[in-house]
Structures are given as C-alpha cells and as structure tokens.
C-alpha cells in the first residue's frame, strides 16, 4: 500500500499546524493540552470502561451547536460541516482512517521513493515561486494552470498554507492544496491534463466523560475535571431552565457529563457537543439528553422527553459573572432596616450584560431616584419581569425582545451600596420568588408520542452510559442509590 502517501499526509498536516501557529493556535494548543490532561485525570477514575469511540456524521444543521462549543477551531469545523454533505464519498474515507488514502496508482506502480514535497506559502509568494522551490519550471506552471479551471483557485493562497507536490522525472503528477486541516483540493495528472478533486475530512469523535463534585462553584469544578470553558458554559446553559447556577449549587453537588472530543490525525482539536449530562443538586438528580428531532432541530430533553428549555431563564445574568449570593434576611443596605425585598439581587460587576429572561415587550425603560436605570418587560398577559439599578439600558419602551437578548448592563444606580442587578418576577401583578416561580409555570414542551419513541431510540445508548457512570459514583459516595 501507499506508505509514502500516508506519511506525506501526516507530514503535510504537521507542517500546516506549525506554519499557521500564530497566537491563536498557541492559545488553542494550551487549552487542548489542559483539556487532555484533565480528561486523563478524570479517566483514571472508574470511568475507563465506559469510554467509547464512535464516528457520528456531523450534519450541517448542527453547526450552531458546534459553533457554541468549539472555541478556537470554529471556522475550520464549520467549514467541514457545511461541505460534509456534498463530499460524502471522500469524507467516509477520511474520517475513518484519519489519513487520506485515495487510490495511489503512482506509488503502487512505481518505486516507493517518490515522496510528497510540502511547500509552505510565504509572504509575497506566487505559484511560480512555489513551483520553483519544488524544482518545477515555468512550463510546468503553465501546463498546470491551463489544464484545469480549479487551478485558478491557487491564486488565492495564503501564507501559512501548504502545497504538497508529488513529482517524478521532473514532471508534476499530483498537487495537493491544503486549504486547512479539513479541506484540500487535489490535482492529479490524467493523460495530458489535470483532474481535480475536493477532499474533506471529518474529525474523529471520541466520547469522553467527566465527573466532578462541586466544592466551590460549577466553573472551578468543571475546570478541575478538565472541561473547557465552552463545555462548562454549555453545561450550565443546558440546565439553566431548571437550575440557577448563580444561586442553586451547593457544596457536594455533582455532575456527570458525556461529551465529544474531536481529533484529527490523533491530535485533539477541540470539544464537540455535550451528548448527555446529569447534575445532582442537593440530592436531586437532573438529567439532560441531546436530541435531534425529525426537523433537524437540536434540543436537550430530560429522561421523560420534556424540553430543558423554559419560557423564562432562571437568572437574567450569566452565572459566571455572579460574585456573591443574595441573603434574603439582610438589612436593607441603604435604609439599615428589614424591608420586604421583592426580588433577587445578583451581585455582579458594572457592565455585566443583563438578559431578558423571556421573550416579550418592553413596557418601561427609564430612570428614577430609587430604581436607578430600570427596564420592565411584559411577557404575555400574566407575567412581568423587572430589572433595576442598571448602568446602561439597551432597549426602549415598546421594543420587542427575545429571550436572552441583552437589555442593559449591571450598574449601581439608584438606592444601592454596590453594583448589582435587582430582578423581580410578577404574576398577575403579584411579586413572586423568581427562583421558585418557574417550577409553577406551565410545563415546558414535551415530545409527542412518535418523537418520544425516536428520542428514546436515539438516546438509548448514551442514557445507559450516563446511568452506568452515575451509578458508579453514587456507589462510591453513599450506600444506597436510588434507581429512578
Ligand atoms: Zn434588590
């Protein structure tokens, strides 16, 4: 078989890595290294047997989810996905073997010493210069460019990219333009002209697991368990309909998460999607499973097929931004008396974005001495949310807002001693506890009968896996485990 071929492919990619290793890559590499180390630490626990290796087809409808998660390698990954569907023939090949193993008549029929030559594009380069460095003259350049329309694409090469040449008897037999890790354009000499082929590679996907016990907060626990920042955020997002990560987590809470790690040529290139997760809050278990419905829409559902997404956010501020918790029995910081406090205070730095907790219409956006800058939002006929003490307001009366749209920034305007968001939730004009009211509101969307059957089928394996890991940890931490 084509050993040279494979070797060259690997080499080409390595060079590509190095050549584009500006700050972004360095940063990514550090993150990845930490992720891997962390993952191994976790994997040394009793989790080993549950590690599986699967190749899931990435379809383009999932690009959003991936976009949210895969940090630095974003552009590459998206590109892979968008081209994946129309490159079925070549991707199968690439994804499985991690190497481009297109049939190589050249290396099979001729001696094995013909090797790929990788040439890096430098500043101010053009095709003639690059061909020259590969040992090819102007005639070869002309022959190549004039014999295939796609060769024109090589006018748009960038420093850091590589061109790989397969030359024999001073004649170019094959040229591979490595656009990025995932996309290549390969030209092969056929008779007197060149044929071209687009090659798209998909990353290998390894399902990894992580388990952690919360000591301080979710973020630290996640980091210690080797999760990337994006995966931790994703985890918090998934459960944000049922848990308020600013206020709910307690010491001793734990989570288990099954997520994808993406590899190319054996190198970890980033984290993919979260497939399933469990969070145990004060002994109560919350589970979430990723499900792609028949329309291709992606969502997370609990074990009974009830959507994790609610009409209202648990908290209108990002949990990672909260610096302290609210004490409902405190004295009023300004008036030094116990006054009825009709909302929740989220302490956060000035400038922290404040989200509309649900879709609705802005009924007030103004300033008063007590409230400082404030925004009120009406959600349907029954519900109103209020946001006080803002430093900035980004909406005006009458505006329509979407859930999680930024409506202002945390501030310290009005009667306050420090920057925080005061958040109120009213049902039919009555103040309710924003933390607990959500559980009393109409239930989130549940999957219908058919969808539920599909959901169970799709998540069966991952659910078993989650159950198993979760069980292992439950057994090590306490004697009895519930089997719900
Ligand atoms: Zn308050």
């Amino acid at each position: 078989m084509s050993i040279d071929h494979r070797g060259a492919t690997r080499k080409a990619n390595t060079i590509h890595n190095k050549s584009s290793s500006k700050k972004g890559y360095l940063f990514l590499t550090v993150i990845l290294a930490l992720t891997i180390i962390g993952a191994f630490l976790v994997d040394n626990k009793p989790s080993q047997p549950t590690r599986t290796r699967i190749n899931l087809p990435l379809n383009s409808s999932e690009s959003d989810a991936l976009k949210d998660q895969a940090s630095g390698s974003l552009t590459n990954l998206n590109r892979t996905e968008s081209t994946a569907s129309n490159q079925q023939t070549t991707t199968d090949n690439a994804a499985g073997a991690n190497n481009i193993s297109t049939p190589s008549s050249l290396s099979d029929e001729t001696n094995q010493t013909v090797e790929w030559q990788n040439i890096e594009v430098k500043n101010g380069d053009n095709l003639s210069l690059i061909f020259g460095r590969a040992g090819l003259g102007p005639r070869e350049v002309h022959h190549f460019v004039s014999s295939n329309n796609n060769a024109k694409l090589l006018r748009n090469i960038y420093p850091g990219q590589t061109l790989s040449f397969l030359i024999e008897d001073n004649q170019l037999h094959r040229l591979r333009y490595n656009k990025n890790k995932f996309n290549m354009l390969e030209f092969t000499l056929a008779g007197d002209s060149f044929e071209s082929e687009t090659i798209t590679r998909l990353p290998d996907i390894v399902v990894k697991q992580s388990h952690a016990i919360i000591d301080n907060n979710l973020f630290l626990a996640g980091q210690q368990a080797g999760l990337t920042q994006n995966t931790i955020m994703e985890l918090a997002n998934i459960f944000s309909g049922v848990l308020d990560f600013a206020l709910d987590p307690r010491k001793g809470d734990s989570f288990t998460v099954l997520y994808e790690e993406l590899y190319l040529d054996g190198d970890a290139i980033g984290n993919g999607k979260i497939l399933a997760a469990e969070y145990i809050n004060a002994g109560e278990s919350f589970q979430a499973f990723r499900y792609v419905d028949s329309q291709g829409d992606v969502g997370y559902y609990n074990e009974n097929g009830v959507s994790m997404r609610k009409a209202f956010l648990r908290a209108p501020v990002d949990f990672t931004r909260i610096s302290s918790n609210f004490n409902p029995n405190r004295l009023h910081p300004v008036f030094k008396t116990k006054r009825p406090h009709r909302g929740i205070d989220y302490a956060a730095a000035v400038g922290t974005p404040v989200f509309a907790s649900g879709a609705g219409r802005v009924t007030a956006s103004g300033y008063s001495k007590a409230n400082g800058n404030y925004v009120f939002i009406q959600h349907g006929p029954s519900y109103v949310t209020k946001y006080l003490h803002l430093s900035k307001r980004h909406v005006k009366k009458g505006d329509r807002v979407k859930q999680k749209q930024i409506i202002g920034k945390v501030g310290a305007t009005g009667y306050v001693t420090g920057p925080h968001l005061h958040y109120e939730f009213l049902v039919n004009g009555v103040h309710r506890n924003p933390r607990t009211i959500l559980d009393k509101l109409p239930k989130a969307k549940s999957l219908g009968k058919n969808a539920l059957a599909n959901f169970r089928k799709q998540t069966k394996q991952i659910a078993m896996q989650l159950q198993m890991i979760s069980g292992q940890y439950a057994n090590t931490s306490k004697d009895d485990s519930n089997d719900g």
Side-chain angles (χ1 to χ4, degrees):
M1 280 304 291
S2 51
I3 294 158
D4 288 340
H5 203 154
R6 287 165 161 243
T9 307
R10 206 172 281 273
K11 221 186 288 169
N13 277 301
T14 315
I15 286 172
H16 178 88
N17 278 342
K18 278 182 188 154
S19 57
S20 49
S21 72
K22 302 292 179 231
K23 282 174 200 154
Y25 267 79
L26 185 66
F27 174 71
L28 185 63
T29 312
V30 172
I31 297 272
L32 288 176
L34 291 173
T35 311
I36 293 165
I37 292 166
F40 275 118
L41 289 176
V42 171
D43 277 349
N44 285 340
K45 289 176 188 156
S47 52
Q48 210 90 7
T50 56
R51 264 182 90 178
T52 48
R53 190 181 178 82
I54 54 168
N55 281 308
L56 294 177
L58 296 166
N59 63 54
S60 46
S61 66
E62 299 172 17
S63 64
D64 277 353
L66 216 120
K67 206 183 295 170
D68 292 336
Q69 293 163 26
S71 53
S73 48
L74 252 186
T75 38
N76 285 346
L77 293 172
N78 284 337
R79 218 170 294 163
T80 308
E81 291 200 331
S82 56
T83 50
S85 46
N86 40 23
Q87 295 297 335
Q88 210 50 53
T89 45
T90 45
T91 50
D92 287 343
N93 223 342
N98 242 339
N99 282 298
I100 306 300
S101 41
T102 42
S104 168
S105 55
L106 190 73
S107 34
D108 285 343
E109 288 162 15
T110 62
N111 65 54
Q112 300 276 319
T113 56
V114 181
E115 277 195 27
W116 283 92
Q117 240 190 98
N118 302 305
I119 302 208
E120 186 185 328
V121 181
K122 293 177 182 162
N123 274 326
D125 250 346
N126 60 43
L127 219 46
S128 298
L129 289 171
I130 295 168
F131 269 60
R133 290 212 291 285
L136 298 167
R139 270 188 58 193
E140 282 288 341
V141 179
H142 180 75
H143 177 220
F144 172 72
V145 173
S146 57
S147 78
N148 187 300
N149 264 343
N150 276 336
K152 293 191 183 76
L153 293 170
L154 271 69
R155 283 181 192 150
N156 302 316
I157 49 180
Y158 299 102
Q161 292 179 323
T162 50
L163 294 180
S164 307
F165 294 82
L166 203 56
I167 300 166
E168 201 194 5
D169 299 332
N170 294 321
Q171 197 183 17
L172 178 63
H173 281 256
R174 223 174 241 193
L175 175 72
R176 189 181 291 152
Y177 166 38
N178 306 295
K179 290 189 211 170
N180 53 50
K181 277 185 178 181
F182 301 95
N183 294 290
M184 287 159 232
L185 189 58
E186 188 169 281
F187 301 88
T188 307
L189 185 64
D192 201 32
S193 64
F194 284 89
E195 285 172 357
S196 64
E197 182 188 16
T198 306
I199 301 172
T200 304
R201 311 172 70 198
L202 291 178
D204 277 350
I205 294 169
V206 176
V207 177
K208 303 214 62 160
Q209 63 181 57
S210 190
H211 175 89
I213 294 169
I214 315 290
D215 188 42
N216 198 318
N217 63 48
L218 176 71
F219 207 79
L220 279 178
Q223 279 185 323
Q224 277 157 12
L227 296 179
T228 62
Q229 188 169 334
N230 286 309
T231 304
I232 300 169
M233 290 299 298
E234 182 69 12
L235 184 65
N237 276 335
I238 289 169
F239 288 106
S240 65
V242 290
L243 290 165
D244 178 348
F245 279 102
L247 302 173
D248 284 333
R250 297 194 193 169
K251 194 181 165 92
D253 279 5
S254 64
F255 70 77
T256 304
V257 55
L258 288 161
Y259 62 100
E260 294 176 345
E261 192 159 74
L262 310 176
Y263 287 84
L264 200 64
D265 298 329
D267 299 324
I269 55 164
N271 285 357
K273 305 172 280 280
I274 288 179
L275 302 175
E278 179 180 43
Y279 189 93
I280 298 177
N281 174 234
E284 190 180 356
S285 160
F286 297 90
Q287 294 191 341
F289 300 92
R290 186 175 190 278
Y291 171 61
V292 186
D293 69 18
S294 56
Q295 311 293 311
D297 289 330
V298 179
Y300 287 86
Y301 295 81
N302 76 7
E303 63 275 24
N304 299 316
V306 179
S307 172
M308 300 298 288
R309 171 165 269 178
K310 299 284 162 70
F312 293 95
L313 298 177
R314 267 298 138 163
V317 221
D318 192 333
F319 86 99
T320 54
R321 307 290 205 112
I322 310 292
S323 54
S324 70
N325 286 351
F326 169 64
N327 171 7
N329 294 320
R330 80 188 168 151
L331 295 179
H332 189 281
V334 173
F335 301 109
K336 306 293 181 201
T337 53
K338 272 197 183 178
R339 290 164 69 101
H341 189 255
R342 303 193 294 184
I344 290 187
D345 288 351
Y346 289 100
V350 171
T352 302
V354 174
F355 309 127
S357 66
R361 190 181 285 277
V362 177
T363 53
S365 172
Y367 180 90
S368 78
K369 222 171 166 187
N371 293 348
N373 283 307
Y374 62 88
V375 170
F376 298 168
I377 300 174
Q378 179 85 42
H379 313 269
S382 307
Y383 309 114
V384 171
T385 54
K386 297 185 174 181
Y387 313 78
L388 273 50
H389 312 312
L390 306 172
S391 58
K392 285 209 171 77
R393 288 178 277 123
H394 292 310
V395 289
K396 51 184 194 310
K397 189 178 172 181
D399 283 357
R400 272 202 177 283
V401 291
K402 292 183 198 151
Q403 185 175 49
K404 225 178 170 183
Q405 182 178 332
I406 295 173
I407 54 164
K409 300 279 168 63
V410 169
T413 57
Y415 292 151
V416 294
T417 53
H420 73 278
L421 171 74
H422 173 101
Y423 174 57
E424 293 180 10
F425 199 112
L426 291 84
V427 181
N428 298 320
V430 179
H431 283 88
R432 306 298 297 267
N433 182 342
R435 295 188 62 197
T436 52
I437 185 66
L438 300 203
D439 302 317
K440 302 186 179 88
L441 297 182
K443 286 264 180 276
K445 170 190 148 194
S446 294
L447 295 173
K449 200 180 166 196
N450 288 341
L452 188 62
N454 283 335
F455 168 75
R456 296 227 187 276
K457 211 157 120 191
Q458 203 182 95
T459 58
K460 189 179 172 190
Q461 203 198 336
I462 207 82
M464 276 166 51
Q465 214 168 321
L466 185 69
Q467 219 60 46
M468 206 163 89
I469 305 161
S470 177
Q472 280 172 358
Y473 285 106
N475 288 338
T476 54
S477 61
K478 54 181 175 187
D479 300 325
D480 57 331
S481 63
N482 70 58
D483 47 8

